[in-house]
Amino acid sequence: MSAAAVPAVGGVSPRRAWVTDLPVLAVAVVWGASYLAAKGITTTHTVVAVLVLRFAIVLPVLVAVGWRKLRALTGAQWRGAGVLGLVLSGIFLLETYGVVHTSATNAGLIISLTMIFTPLAEAAVTRVRPSAGFVAAAGLSVAGVVLLTQGGGFTSPSAGDLLMLLAALARTVHVLAMARIKAVRDADSLSLTTVQLGGAVAVFAVLAALPGTGASPWSTAAGFGAREWAGLVFLSVFCTLFAFFVQMWSVRRTSPSRVSLLLGTEPLWAAAVGISLGGEHLGVLGVAGAVLVLAGTAWGRRAASEGVRVRS
């Protein structure tokens, strides 16, 4: 369903709603493009180095903007955010290694399974049975991933496909942890994000200092040309800094469900960018799988929302 089909929130005119929707949609676009951008500047030997550079660029900005509220965090909030930062570091490592070993299209579509895995994991934790519609949507999405990874004929999924699947599971763990760590529930969102990214950068820096983890951030940066620096700035400024501030701005002007709906188009943009700019080709099976993944995640998102409304 297109964003235009969603009614404006709180009596806001459709024109005013689009003023809010367009920046959120821009976030979905840049996130979709991030897989091809990461693939273009990263190799197996530079994954950790690129991650250090990517987040070290934006972290000082986040610290400077949110310094007062950052200082106001309690010890428990720092510890909770630190734990979330460790999980976040695992997510970025899995995603970045994954995209190096698979197509940007596959990466964007497989990671969208987080929208299916999260309600299933939440149902398992809370022992609340998911609806039949949601289970059917989950099955449709899984079938789509199977077809998506077999675009060239039925073979074993690539290492990158499996890493992206693990990244989707790690994202699910991150979402559940945020909901269940009591100390961070009332924490300022900017401060929480800053501590998490700081924790992740610390993990990446430690890994970069260990032997056998690839090139150092300094040698990687020195070897970058104009194209690589443009890709790194895109990942840092647009996919991280811009995306975070747009989300903070938008949730105050529209509903979380509307924001979620627009951000849920990310896999569409990942496929569009991968095919049009990256020259990737899905094949008949891959196209069928992509359609099933998108249909399953959209159906699952609606079924999960309906289940929440019914329980409420």
Side-chain angles (χ1 to χ4, degrees), residues 11-202:
V12 178
S13 68
R15 184 175 180 180
R16 287 286 302 277
W18 268 107
V19 171
T20 304
D21 289 348
L22 285 175
V24 180
L25 191 60
V27 171
V29 173
V30 298
W31 277 355
S34 68
Y35 301 101
L36 185 63
K39 190 175 181 66
I41 67 171
T42 313
T43 67
T44 304
H45 300 292
T46 62
V47 166
V48 176
V50 167
L51 287 172
V52 171
L53 295 170
R54 173 181 175 178
F55 295 109
I57 289 174
V58 299
L59 194 58
V61 178
L62 293 175
V63 171
V65 171
W67 178 246
R68 287 186 179 180
K69 291 184 177 180
L70 196 61
R71 291 181 62 187
L73 290 179
T74 65
Q77 289 172 332
W78 274 92
R79 290 189 294 273
V83 170
L84 292 173
L86 292 177
V87 179
L88 193 65
S89 68
I91 294 171
F92 281 116
L93 285 168
L94 288 168
E95 285 185 359
T96 311
Y97 275 113
V99 79
V100 168
H101 294 289
T102 190
S103 67
T105 302
N106 276 24
L109 290 166
I110 292 173
I111 203 68
S112 70
L113 287 178
T114 303
M115 289 183 283
I116 295 294
F117 291 158
T118 301
L120 286 176
E122 187 177 16
V125 170
T126 60
R127 298 183 180 180
V128 176
R129 195 173 191 177
S131 67
F134 184 83
V135 173
L140 193 67
S141 298
V142 172
V145 168
V146 172
L147 290 178
L148 178 67
T149 59
Q150 307 303 314
F154 285 98
T155 59
S156 299
S158 71
D161 294 332
L162 294 175
L163 287 171
M164 294 308 300
L165 194 60
L166 289 174
L169 290 170
R171 279 195 183 190
T172 298
V173 171
H174 186 258
V175 171
L176 292 181
M178 286 188 70
R180 299 185 75 82
I181 297 177
K182 294 181 180 180
V184 303
R185 290 179 186 172
D186 299 323
D188 172 65
S189 57
L190 174 58
S191 301
L192 183 62
T193 300
T194 302
V195 175
Q196 287 186 77
L197 288 180
V201 170

Side-chain angles (χ1 to χ4, degrees), residues 25 27-33 262-275:
L25 191 60
V27 171
V29 173
V30 298
W31 277 355
L262 293 167
L263 293 180
T265 63
E266 176 189 345
L268 284 172
W269 300 110
V273 171
I275 293 170

Side-chain angles (χ1 to χ4, degrees), residues 304-312:
S305 298
E306 289 170 3
V308 169
R309 286 197 295 270
V310 169
R311 289 193 294 273
S312 299

